[in-house]
Amino acid sequence: MGATPGTARHDTWGTEMRTPGRERPASGTEIHTVDYHTGGEPFRIVTAGVPEIPGATILERRENASAPEIDQVRRMLCHEPRGHADMYGCFLVPPDDPGAHLGVLFWHKDGYSTACGHGTIALGVHAVESGLVKADPDGDTDVVVDVPSGRVTARVRRTGGEIESVTFRNVASRVTALAVPVTAAAGGATFTAAVDIAYGGAMYASVPAAAFGLAVEPEHLTELIALGRSIKASLAGHPAARHPADDRLSGIYGVIFYDELGPGHQRNVTVFADGEVDRSPCGSGTAARLALLHAAGFTGELTHESIVGSVFTGRVAEVRGDAVIPEITGMAYRTGVHRFTLAAGDPIGAGFTLR
């Protein structure tokens, strides 16, 4: 699946602590992170405190990360009081081979995703800022990253030693289906609409917000979340959501609602996993949008706004048969360095979610 399936949880600390099969993180263990935001979307990079995640490839490590002793770290960092229902982050792991600088497992409150463009941009900034990848003070430096969907590149541009931007070069992205009929419900009303499905490292369904009488504006977010969850549920098991080569990459991960603002200019909000909201314009979602726009004859640069007004720019850098190689440019900024602990006797344990 594009992400580990999740269900809405209204956990209290008691159910979180007492549910059979869940283990507490070891008290006293320190988990170190460096936090960034890309276009307003958080990205928490774990630099220490995670048990070794076994596997010969990134995809194998993604499957093995569900082991309780590993997944408890994800839950502790995503759940309140250390995180929140829309938190996003990653574990750093070895790459598949020496051709990449690092490997990564992306996570959110519901599990592990196959792709994350805003996270890849943040990883590029982190790799250069931390010295993990040596970079000249002027010019471009490629940070090559193995992610579950394949090998991607974060091209970091610096001038006078300062990072100006990062361009994320994604895996091959393609359209899988057009005008797929769906039924969705929100606010007591039922809607029918047609969605387009495309792969950009994860599977996304795209639909104009106007199809539901809405716009991509914060005041409509509650309805858009409900519609996103409903559309995703209606597409469960749809043939167009199957990855042609690896079923581990199958399944609708997110629903992209968009507004047309002018030629080559769109605003979107991506509702992913189980009702989570991307504050950025969504990197892998932008790749899926570029695949759809290219199939419709668009050849220019896409200005892609988010629901909070942040912007990515994207273009098709290469065409490979029925697929395109998108490049998406944005910037990430460090927000903090953290050392998280679990105190002995803390009854909340790994935390809770209220959505």
Side-chain angles (χ1 to χ4, degrees):
M1 297 294 291
T4 301
T7 56
R9 291 191 299 273
H10 301 277
D11 293 346
T12 65
W13 61 266
T15 56
E16 181 73 24
M17 183 174 168
R18 298 187 181 101
T19 301
R22 291 188 176 182
E23 299 181 13
R24 286 174 60 93
S27 61
T29 298
E30 277 198 345
I31 301 168
H32 298 189
T33 74
V34 181
D35 285 23
Y36 290 82
H37 84 85
T38 308
E41 177 72 358
F43 194 69
R44 176 165 285 170
I45 302 171
V46 183
T47 57
V50 184
E52 182 179 353
I53 304 172
T57 66
I58 299 296
L59 273 171
E60 288 181 9
R61 294 179 194 274
R62 177 174 176 259
E63 292 179 326
N64 293 331
S66 60
E69 67 274 13
I70 299 164
D71 197 50
Q72 64 193 9
V73 179
R74 175 193 64 82
R75 291 190 291 110
M76 181 174 165
L77 296 177
C78 275
H79 291 183
E80 298 180 51
R82 298 168 188 85
H84 53 80
D86 294 289
M87 177 55 71
Y88 214 110
C90 78
F91 297 144
L92 298 179
V93 297
D96 285 351
D97 62 55
H101 293 105
L102 57 101
V104 64
L105 299 178
F106 299 117
W107 44 251
H108 46 73
K109 78 170 175 62
D110 297 310
Y112 299 87
S113 58
T114 61
C116 179
H118 91 273
T120 302
I121 290 170
L123 285 164
V125 173
H126 172 67
V128 170
E129 282 187 341
S130 67
L132 181 65
V133 175
K134 292 183 179 180
D136 291 331
D138 294 286
D140 294 345
T141 299
D142 284 350
V143 178
V144 183
V145 187
D146 282 338
V147 306
S149 57
R151 181 161 289 176
V152 299
T153 299
R155 181 161 296 156
V156 182
R157 174 158 294 179
R158 294 211 299 177
T159 300
E162 297 294 326
I163 299 175
E164 293 186 337
S165 65
V166 180
T167 296
F168 156 52
R169 184 177 175 92
N170 200 15
V171 298
S173 304
R174 55 175 48 84
V175 177
T176 62
L178 297 173
V180 177
V182 295
T183 300
T190 301
F191 304 87
T192 58
V195 304
D196 299 327
I197 301 175
Y199 176 77
M203 291 287 184
Y204 292 93
S206 289
V207 61
F212 308 98
L214 301 172
V216 179
E217 300 289 351
E219 58 263 34
H220 299 308
L221 188 57
T222 298
E223 296 96 325
L224 291 168
I225 292 171
L227 288 166
R229 295 171 86 173
S230 186
I231 291 169
K232 181 174 177 176
S234 73
L235 292 171
H238 195 283
R242 297 286 300 274
H243 189 276
D246 194 327
D247 207 42
R248 292 173 293 183
L249 302 175
S250 295
I252 298 295
Y253 174 54
V255 178
I256 301 172
F257 299 96
Y258 65 93
D259 294 339
E260 295 281 2
L261 302 182
H265 190 184
Q266 295 183 347
R267 179 187 299 119
N268 92 98
V269 64
T270 300
V271 180
F272 66 95
D274 184 31
E276 298 182 49
V277 176
D278 197 331
R279 276 75 171 154
S280 82
C282 187
S284 53
T286 300
R289 293 294 306 143
L290 285 166
L292 286 164
L293 289 167
H294 176 80
F298 178 74
T299 58
E301 183 176 85
L302 173 65
T303 299
H304 214 202
E305 290 187 26
S306 76
I307 196 167
V308 302
S310 55
V311 176
F312 289 164
T313 57
R315 69 185 187 95
V316 170
E318 187 180 341
V319 179
R320 297 181 183 174
D322 67 342
V324 299
I325 305 298
E327 290 187 345
I328 297 109
T329 299
M331 183 58 188
Y333 301 90
R334 186 164 53 174
T335 60
V337 178
H338 305 284
R339 303 175 83 170
F340 292 101
T341 60
L342 175 60
D346 183 347
I348 292 179
F352 55 88
T353 58
L354 290 177
R355 185 190 305 154

mmCIF file of all heavy atoms in Angstrom, residues 7 79 81 199 263:
data_model
loop_
_atom_site.group_PDB
_atom_site.id
_atom_site.type_symbol
_atom_site.label_atom_id
_atom_site.label_comp_id
_atom_site.label_asym_id
_atom_site.label_seq_id
_atom_site.Cartn_x
_atom_site.Cartn_y
_atom_site.Cartn_z
ATOM 1 N N THR A 7 -6.632 3.668 10.916
ATOM 2 C CA THR A 7 -8.010 3.954 11.262
ATOM 3 C C THR A 7 -8.013 5.116 12.230
ATOM 4 O O THR A 7 -7.047 5.354 12.944
ATOM 5 C CB THR A 7 -8.678 2.742 11.934
ATOM 6 O OG1 THR A 7 -7.897 2.368 13.074
ATOM 7 C CG2 THR A 7 -8.759 1.571 10.981
ATOM 8 N N HIS A 79 2.733 11.027 18.110
ATOM 9 C CA HIS A 79 1.586 11.243 18.977
ATOM 10 C C HIS A 79 1.826 12.389 19.940
ATOM 11 O O HIS A 79 2.955 12.755 20.251
ATOM 12 C CB HIS A 79 1.300 9.967 19.767
ATOM 13 C CG HIS A 79 0.795 8.837 18.930
ATOM 14 N ND1 HIS A 79 0.425 7.625 19.446
ATOM 15 C CD2 HIS A 79 0.590 8.729 17.591
ATOM 16 C CE1 HIS A 79 0.017 6.824 18.481
ATOM 17 N NE2 HIS A 79 0.118 7.478 17.349
ATOM 18 N N PRO A 81 2.070 13.868 23.617
ATOM 19 C CA PRO A 81 2.372 15.303 23.646
ATOM 20 C C PRO A 81 3.646 15.716 22.916
ATOM 21 O O PRO A 81 4.006 16.890 22.962
ATOM 22 C CB PRO A 81 2.515 15.564 25.149
ATOM 23 C CG PRO A 81 3.112 14.292 25.678
ATOM 24 C CD PRO A 81 2.486 13.198 24.877
ATOM 25 N N TYR A 199 0.486 8.336 -10.359
ATOM 26 C CA TYR A 199 1.544 7.891 -9.449
ATOM 27 C C TYR A 199 2.687 8.882 -9.486
ATOM 28 O O TYR A 199 3.181 9.251 -10.550
ATOM 29 C CB TYR A 199 2.044 6.514 -9.883
ATOM 30 C CG TYR A 199 3.201 5.977 -9.074
ATOM 31 C CD1 TYR A 199 2.999 5.434 -7.810
ATOM 32 C CD2 TYR A 199 4.500 5.995 -9.583
ATOM 33 C CE1 TYR A 199 4.051 4.930 -7.066
ATOM 34 C CE2 TYR A 199 5.570 5.492 -8.849
ATOM 35 C CZ TYR A 199 5.339 4.960 -7.593
ATOM 36 O OH TYR A 199 6.388 4.458 -6.852
ATOM 37 N N PRO A 263 -3.251 29.928 -16.087
ATOM 38 C CA PRO A 263 -2.399 28.992 -16.832
ATOM 39 C C PRO A 263 -1.138 28.637 -16.037
ATOM 40 O O PRO A 263 -0.378 29.509 -15.615
ATOM 41 C CB PRO A 263 -2.045 29.776 -18.104
ATOM 42 C CG PRO A 263 -3.156 30.777 -18.257
ATOM 43 C CD PRO A 263 -3.546 31.153 -16.855
#
